[in-house]
Amino acid sequence: MTDAAKPLAGVKAAVFDAYGTLFDVNAAVQRYAEAVGPDAAHLSEVWRNKQLEYSWTLSLMGQYAAFWDLTVRALDYALAIHPNVDPGLRERLLDAYRDLEAYPEVPGVLAALRKRGIRTAVLTNGNAAMVDRAVASAGLADHLDAVLSVDDAQVFKTHPDAYRIALTRLAVGQGDVLFCSSNRWDVAGARAFGFRTAWVNRKGLPDEYADLAPTVVVESLDGLL
C-alpha cells in the first residue's frame, strides 16, 4: 500500500467520483432552502439516499436505468413523504441538481494534479448527459482528461465492471490509479477492485468496511496535494 503521507506517489491517473465528491449533492435543496422550509435538510437526505438505494437494487436485480431517471424518482419519493413541502418546487429542484456547485477546492486541485503530470478523470454513476452538463456548468471541463460514466458498463458502482471502465478508457493498470470518493461504500468497492483509494471524509464520519481500508483519508480534496 502507498505511504499515506504520499498518496500521489507513482500515481498516473487520479479518478474521482462526481456526486458528493466533486459536486455538493445538497446544493440543489440548499438553493431553495427558504422555499422548502424546515424539512429542507431531511428532504435532501432522503433524496440522496433513495437515489443510491435505487441504483443498488437495480444492480442486484441485473437491471439498469439512467441515473438521472433514478434522481427524478428519488425526488418524487422525497416530496411524497414531505407533504408540507410545496410540490411546485419539483422542477426548480431538478434544474438545480442539473447544475450542482462544485466544492470550492475542486478546480485548483484538478489543475495542480495535471501540472504534476497526473491525468484526471471522473468515474460516476451519473449518465453521460447528466454528468457532462454538471461538469460544464461547474467549469471543470478544462481540468479533466476524461469524463467516464457507468453507462458504458450498464451497471452501477460498486460492481467491478463499473471500475473497469477507467482501466479501459485511460489505458492504465489498477495500481496506477488513485480513486477518490466521499462515499465510503464507493471507496470500499474501488479498493476491492484493486485501486489505491482516497476517502474524502468531509463530514468526519466513522470508518466502515475495515477490511477494505482506504489508502489515505482526507477532509477535503486539497489534502491530496
Side-chain angles (χ1 to χ4, degrees):
M1 182 178 289
T2 303
D3 183 347
K6 301 177 181 178
L8 299 175
V11 169
K12 294 181 181 178
V15 178
F16 298 87
D17 167 61
Y19 296 99
T21 304
L22 299 183
F23 305 116
D24 182 357
V25 294
N26 295 308
V29 174
Q30 287 172 354
R31 192 176 303 178
Y32 295 103
E34 186 174 348
V36 172
D39 290 330
H42 192 248
L43 176 78
S44 188
E45 180 183 2
V46 172
W47 187 4
R48 173 62 170 168
N49 288 344
K50 278 295 174 181
Q51 178 196 52
L52 294 174
E53 179 188 325
Y54 294 157
S55 74
W56 295 329
T57 53
L58 281 176
S59 294
L60 286 168
M61 291 186 289
Q63 298 181 20
Y64 182 78
F67 199 59
W68 179 251
D69 293 341
L70 304 188
T71 302
V72 174
R73 293 180 206 168
L75 176 58
D76 286 340
Y77 177 84
L79 288 171
I81 66 168
H82 292 93
N84 293 327
V85 176
D86 179 6
L89 291 169
R90 179 181 186 269
E91 293 307 315
R92 279 185 279 173
L93 290 171
L94 289 174
D95 280 342
Y97 204 97
R98 290 184 178 98
D99 298 314
L100 288 174
E101 299 170 8
Y103 287 101
E105 81 276 12
V106 169
V109 170
L110 295 177
L113 290 171
R114 296 182 83 197
K115 254 188 174 179
R116 296 187 187 193
I118 297 172
R119 299 172 71 190
T120 58
V122 168
L123 176 60
T124 175
N125 277 341
N127 50 291
M130 177 183 181
V131 70
D132 285 347
R133 175 164 170 171
V135 166
S137 67
L140 301 182
D142 291 341
H143 297 300
L144 292 164
D145 294 295
V147 178
L148 311 175
S149 167
V150 301
D151 267 354
D152 288 356
Q154 296 284 288
V155 68
F156 294 106
K157 295 182 289 182
T158 57
H159 194 285
D161 287 350
Y163 299 107
R164 193 169 288 112
I165 294 167
L167 302 184
T168 304
R169 294 283 298 276
L170 299 174
V172 292
Q174 288 163 307
D176 299 327
V177 172
L178 179 68
F179 181 83
C180 310
S181 180
S182 64
N183 302 299
R184 186 63 180 92
W185 54 267
D186 197 10
V187 172
R191 178 78 171 83
F193 180 72
F195 286 154
R196 307 183 202 185
T197 55
W199 179 25
V200 189
N201 188 8
R202 297 183 184 278
K203 297 180 179 179
L205 297 174
D207 196 10
E208 304 173 87
Y209 310 103
D211 55 334
L212 294 166
T215 305
V216 64
V217 181
V218 295
E219 294 180 0
S220 65
L221 287 171
D222 48 17
L224 298 174
L225 303 177

